[in-house]
């Protein structure tokens, strides 16, 4: 029974209970790992598809994802190594495992940058980041011209979008921070700000944090991205984030919450806090390590070591605050980083000071209404149009950095406008959260045996952001109809989608029919829901309500 509960095999039994409530001895985990690897081989790698839908702990899903990766490394030509399978493995692994995954399966080049900011975030997650990560970790020279082309395209989009975002007060990181103070009244909110953490490092931090077996299980309820202030350097970006305003005004406003130095633990102040309070915990890494160990051949390992230490500190905080305290931990950063190596060969503009790929100071430029001026590979930004701190700024559009007398090149600098410098993580963790019980209904009206139009309506009463991946309708026999939906339903929100149903069931088929929805949590875990189809109305010329034998004297 314990083996079934812990997922040695996937049976209906496993879905009857929540995750195992006790600490599991190492000898059991070794035995389970052997069972999982056996199932992976027997299923030719597809075991992960079912395993991630179980209520097992995230760390076990990580173990199965790693074992699945190892299987496909031995069988790289398997027909089961699909893009969907790579996506599932990628959601659970990071670091060296991510590098190994990107080496065995090519990733398509991203499409053009979309127009709407929500679409840009999705494009970054689904298209740009996998391609960029593969190019970065494999040093694929053939992909690099495409990276440079997309980087400049994104920069031009962001230069036009950013002033609009300042006016709309949406999408930018410092506006999201302000919302924590203004609307986070139900929790004690701990805002953890790591300095200079790009998206791949954020994934490593998340994976490490979720693998730690703490007293209280941390659940990732939001895993998204927002946009950083310009220019993407600490002097501008961090002040804006902790004050909740654009850099122009950050000296005029108080901090959003209680400031806690990284040399201190936030626990004492959290024990005194009440719902609605916001504490800000500022941590100088990984930026500090990037700068001090930049020429070290072990830089990547140094960064991962710092991130692992920070993850354990966050778990210690969660374990130190009583469960009666409604705790929410938000992890973000002030700016991202360029994924690659930059040659420091761009001359710093006159009367400006520089850091990495950005510079600021006074200029004599007369800007037009767009507020920026491009000269070769440098774009000059107007203080007024871009809400800068005190002077105009200059940002490099290529992969280079400004000159420095100490060293000629730098690994993962920042200050520029590449997507990975601008798009920054926004992760929210809560304790002991159950999977959301979504209210899902399938409605519509159609004539039996013909096509018809249906609507799926989803209400999410929880605080957890959920993605609806697929809908499967089964009316018996070969009447099974899968639909790929890819619907994002934020916590405490709802959505609906109209779709064409190629076969509308009869009344009797509807009675026996059922629907299944595959949903995904922010950390990549999937689970199954069974929505109601009672709202599917059937139009029939003839309905058999009684038995054909009724009334016969037999």
């Amino acid at each position: 029974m314990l083996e079934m509960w812990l997922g040695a095999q996937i049976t209906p039994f496993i879905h009857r209970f929540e995750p195992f409530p006790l600490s599991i001895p190492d000898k059991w985990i070794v035995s389970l790992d052997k069972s999982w690897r056996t199932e992976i081989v027997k299923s030719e790698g597809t075991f992960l598809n079912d395993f991630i839908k179980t209520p097992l702990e995230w760390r076990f899903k990580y173990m199965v994802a790693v074992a699945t990766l190892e299987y496909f490394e031995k069988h790289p030509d398997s027909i089961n190594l699909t893009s969907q399978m790579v996506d599932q493995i990628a959601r659970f692994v990071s670091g060296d495992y991510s590098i190994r995954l990107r080496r065995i399966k090519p990733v398509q080049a991203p499409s053009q940058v979309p127009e709407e900011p929500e679409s840009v975030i999705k494009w970054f997650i689904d298209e740009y980041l996998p391609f960029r990560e593969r190019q970065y970790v494999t040093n694929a020279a053939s992909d690099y011209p495409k990276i440079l082309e997309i980087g400049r395209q994104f920069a031009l989009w962001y230069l036009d979008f950013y002033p609009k975002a300042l006016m709309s007060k949406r999408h930018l990181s410092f506006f999201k921070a302000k919302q924590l103070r203004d609307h986070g009244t139900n929790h004690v909110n701990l805002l953890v700000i790591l300095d200079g953490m790009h998206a791949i490092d954020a994934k490593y931090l998340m994976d490490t944090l979720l693998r730690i077996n703490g007293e209280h299980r941390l659940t990732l309820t939001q895993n998204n991205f927002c946009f950083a202030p310009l220019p993407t350097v600490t002097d501008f970006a961090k002040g804006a984030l902790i004050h909740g305003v654009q850099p122009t005004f950050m000296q005029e406003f108080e901090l959003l919450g209680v400031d806690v130095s990284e040399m201190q633990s936030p626990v004492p102040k959290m024990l005194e806090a009440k719902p609605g309070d916001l504490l800000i915990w500022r941590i100088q890494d990984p930026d500090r390590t990037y700068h001090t160990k930049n020429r070290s051949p072990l830089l990547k390992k140094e960064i991962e070591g710092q991130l692992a230490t920070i993850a354990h500190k966050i778990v210690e905080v969660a374990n130190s605050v009583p469960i009666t305290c409604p705790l929410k931990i938000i992890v973000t950063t002030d700016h991202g980083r360029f994924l690659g190596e930059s040659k420091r060969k761009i001359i710093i503009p006159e009367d400006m000071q520089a850091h990495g790929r950005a510079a600021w100071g006074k200029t004599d430029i007369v800007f037009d209404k767009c507020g920026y001026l491009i000269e070769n590979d440098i774009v000059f930004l107007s203080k007024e149009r871009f809400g800068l701190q005190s002077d105009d700024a200059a940002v490099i559009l290529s992969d280079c950095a400004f000159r420095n007398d100490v060293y000629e090149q730098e690994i993962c600098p920042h200050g520029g406008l590449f997507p990975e410098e601008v798009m920054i993580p926004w992760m929210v963790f809560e304790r002991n959260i159950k999977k959301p019980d979504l209210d899902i209904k399938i409605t519509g009206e159609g004539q039996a045996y013909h096509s018809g139009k249906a609507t799926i309506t989803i209400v999410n009463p929880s605080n957890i952001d959920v993605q609806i991946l697929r809908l499967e309708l089964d009316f018996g026999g070969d009447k099974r109809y899968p639909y790929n939906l890819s619907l994002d339903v934020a916590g405490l929100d709802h959505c609906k989608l109209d779709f064409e149903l190629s076969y509308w069931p009869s009344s009797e088929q509807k009675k026996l029919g059922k629907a299944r929805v595959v949903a995904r949590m922010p950390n990549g875990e999937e689970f199954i829901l069974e929505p109601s189809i009672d709202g599917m109305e059937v139009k029939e010329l003839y309905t058999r309500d009684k038995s054909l034998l009724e009334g016969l004297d037999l």
Side-chain angles (χ1 to χ4, degrees):
M1 185 188 75
L2 287 173
E3 286 183 344
M4 293 169 64
W5 192 347
L6 295 171
Q9 291 182 327
I10 307 301
T11 68
F13 181 92
I14 201 170
H15 295 285
R16 291 173 56 186
F17 301 101
E18 292 297 318
F20 196 70
L22 303 177
S23 178
I24 301 171
D26 289 343
K27 66 178 182 179
W28 276 88
I29 296 176
V30 171
S31 176
L32 287 168
D33 187 51
K34 179 181 177 181
S35 298
W36 295 330
R37 288 174 179 271
T38 301
E39 294 298 319
I40 290 169
V41 174
K42 288 166 58 177
S43 67
E44 297 183 345
T46 63
F47 177 67
L48 180 63
N49 292 334
D50 294 322
F51 195 79
I52 61 175
K53 299 182 182 71
T54 68
L56 294 169
E57 291 182 40
W58 193 94
R59 63 188 178 119
F60 294 155
K61 294 175 183 179
Y62 167 84
M63 292 175 63
V64 172
V66 169
T68 303
L69 166 61
E70 293 172 350
Y71 173 85
F72 284 120
E73 285 180 318
K74 299 284 188 181
H75 304 86
D77 298 325
S78 169
I79 60 173
N80 295 326
L81 186 58
T82 62
S83 296
Q84 180 184 1
M85 177 61 71
V86 171
D87 175 64
Q88 288 177 338
I89 297 172
R91 291 178 182 276
F92 290 91
V93 301
S94 58
D96 289 341
Y97 292 123
S98 184
I99 293 174
R100 290 161 56 180
L101 176 65
R102 296 306 179 197
R103 282 177 175 154
I104 64 173
K105 187 68 176 179
V107 180
Q108 286 189 343
S111 59
Q112 297 287 311
V113 180
E115 286 298 321
E116 296 302 317
E118 293 85 358
S119 300
V120 172
I121 293 174
K122 184 172 179 57
W123 167 86
F124 177 78
I125 296 171
D126 296 341
E127 298 185 43
Y128 179 82
L129 193 56
F131 184 76
R132 186 68 171 106
E133 181 180 19
R134 179 181 181 275
Q135 185 280 320
Y136 174 57
V137 300
T138 62
N139 199 25
S142 60
D143 292 336
Y144 200 59
K146 186 67 176 178
I147 294 296
L148 297 179
E149 174 192 333
I150 294 172
R152 194 173 185 107
Q153 182 190 131
F154 175 86
L156 295 176
W157 175 84
Y158 199 56
L159 290 171
D160 290 330
F161 164 74
Y162 188 80
K164 300 173 188 175
L166 290 177
M167 296 297 293
S168 68
K169 300 189 184 303
R170 298 176 59 205
H171 305 299
L172 301 176
S173 61
F174 48 86
F175 291 138
K176 288 183 71 71
K178 186 175 184 300
Q179 289 173 1
L180 282 178
R181 189 199 61 187
D182 294 346
H183 303 296
T185 56
N186 296 325
H187 297 83
V188 172
N189 302 284
L190 176 63
L191 178 61
V192 184
I193 303 174
L194 281 74
D195 197 323
M197 178 175 64
H198 60 64
I200 297 176
D201 284 348
K203 177 68 164 54
Y204 185 88
L205 174 74
M206 182 198 82
D207 290 349
T208 305
L209 196 154
L210 292 175
R211 289 201 309 271
I212 298 171
N213 188 23
E215 179 182 347
H216 302 305
R217 186 168 59 95
L218 285 175
T219 298
L220 186 67
T221 60
Q222 290 182 42
N223 185 19
N224 212 331
F225 287 83
C226 53
F227 299 92
L230 292 180
T232 50
V233 292
T234 300
D235 289 358
F236 293 81
K238 186 173 288 186
L241 186 61
I242 63 178
H243 291 274
V245 294
Q246 64 192 51
T248 307
F249 306 127
M250 63 189 192
Q251 301 297 333
E252 302 174 19
F253 285 77
E254 295 182 352
L255 294 177
L256 290 172
V258 178
D259 190 23
V260 180
S261 165
E262 73 169 330
M263 304 303 294
Q264 300 174 324
S265 168
V267 172
K269 294 185 182 299
M270 294 177 68
L271 293 175
E272 301 172 356
K274 59 185 183 300
D277 288 350
L278 173 63
L279 290 85
I280 303 170
W281 195 18
R282 291 192 271 177
I283 299 174
Q284 298 302 312
D285 271 304
D287 190 80
R288 175 169 48 199
T289 301
Y290 272 111
H291 289 305
T292 59
K293 303 290 182 68
N294 201 264
R295 284 172 285 182
S296 169
L298 300 176
L299 176 62
K300 179 176 176 293
K301 290 298 182 185
E302 295 275 4
I303 296 297
E304 290 178 353
Q306 291 296 331
L307 293 172
T309 299
I310 294 166
H312 278 85
K313 287 181 178 180
I314 293 173
V315 172
E316 287 176 9
V317 169
N319 290 337
S320 300
V321 178
I323 195 60
T324 52
C325 172
L327 175 63
K328 182 179 287 187
I329 301 174
I330 304 94
V331 179
T332 188
T333 186
D334 50 354
H335 58 79
R337 311 190 88 85
F338 177 74
L339 291 174
E341 203 168 89
S342 290
K343 296 188 184 311
R344 289 181 163 275
K345 64 180 186 180
I346 304 296
I347 299 174
I348 301 173
E350 188 176 356
D351 295 328
M352 284 192 167
Q353 59 177 313
H355 181 85
R357 293 161 42 77
W360 53 95
K362 298 188 180 301
T363 69
D364 296 327
I365 296 174
V366 178
F367 295 95
D368 60 17
K369 63 180 181 180
C370 74
Y372 63 87
L373 175 68
I374 297 176
E375 293 184 357
N376 299 318
D377 286 336
I378 296 179
V379 58
F380 292 89
L381 308 180
S382 161
K383 169 195 169 184
E384 287 75 18
R385 180 69 169 160
F386 286 87
L388 305 181
Q389 184 174 1
S390 56
D391 296 309
D392 298 332
V395 176
I396 296 175
L397 295 173
S398 69
D399 59 344
C400 297
F402 285 111
R403 282 187 179 177
N404 185 288
D405 294 335
V406 179
Y407 44 97
E408 297 179 352
Q409 57 190 25
E410 183 177 1
I411 301 171
C412 294
H414 58 91
L417 287 163
F418 267 62
E420 61 266 30
E421 294 174 277
V422 168
M423 307 289 291
I424 59 175
W426 189 272
M427 300 180 290
V428 180
F429 299 87
E430 297 183 52
R431 297 182 297 181
N432 304 324
I433 298 292
K434 294 182 179 180
K435 289 184 175 64
D437 185 15
L438 306 180
D439 182 16
I440 307 178
K441 293 182 173 61
I442 313 295
T443 58
E445 184 179 50
Q447 185 173 337
Y449 315 120
H450 291 74
S451 63
K453 292 191 175 182
T455 301
I456 180 170
T457 304
I458 305 152
V459 178
N460 183 359
S462 75
N463 289 318
I464 305 175
D465 292 350
V466 175
Q467 185 180 35
I468 305 299
L469 302 179
R470 292 182 299 281
L471 165 67
E472 301 167 4
L473 293 170
D474 184 356
F475 300 119
D478 61 350
K479 308 301 182 186
R480 296 181 178 179
Y481 304 93
Y483 297 88
N484 292 322
L485 300 181
S486 190
L487 288 174
D488 294 318
V489 191
L492 298 176
D493 205 349
H494 69 282
C495 73
K496 67 179 181 178
L497 176 71
D498 298 327
F499 63 98
E500 187 78 17
L501 184 60
S502 58
Y503 177 89
W504 204 271
S506 66
S507 295
E508 291 189 358
Q509 288 173 326
K510 176 190 163 186
K511 290 178 184 177
L512 299 174
K514 56 185 178 181
R516 296 171 77 246
V517 160
V518 181
R520 177 180 287 163
M521 298 272 282
N523 61 7
E525 295 186 61
E526 295 181 5
F527 60 102
I528 302 295
L529 295 161
E530 295 187 357
S532 168
I533 60 172
D534 293 343
M536 295 181 65
E537 299 183 9
V538 181
K539 294 189 292 186
E540 292 177 304
L541 296 178
Y542 172 75
T543 302
R544 189 175 71 209
D545 294 326
K546 298 182 179 180
S547 169
L548 294 176
L549 301 180
E550 187 175 340
L552 297 180
D553 188 12
L554 296 178

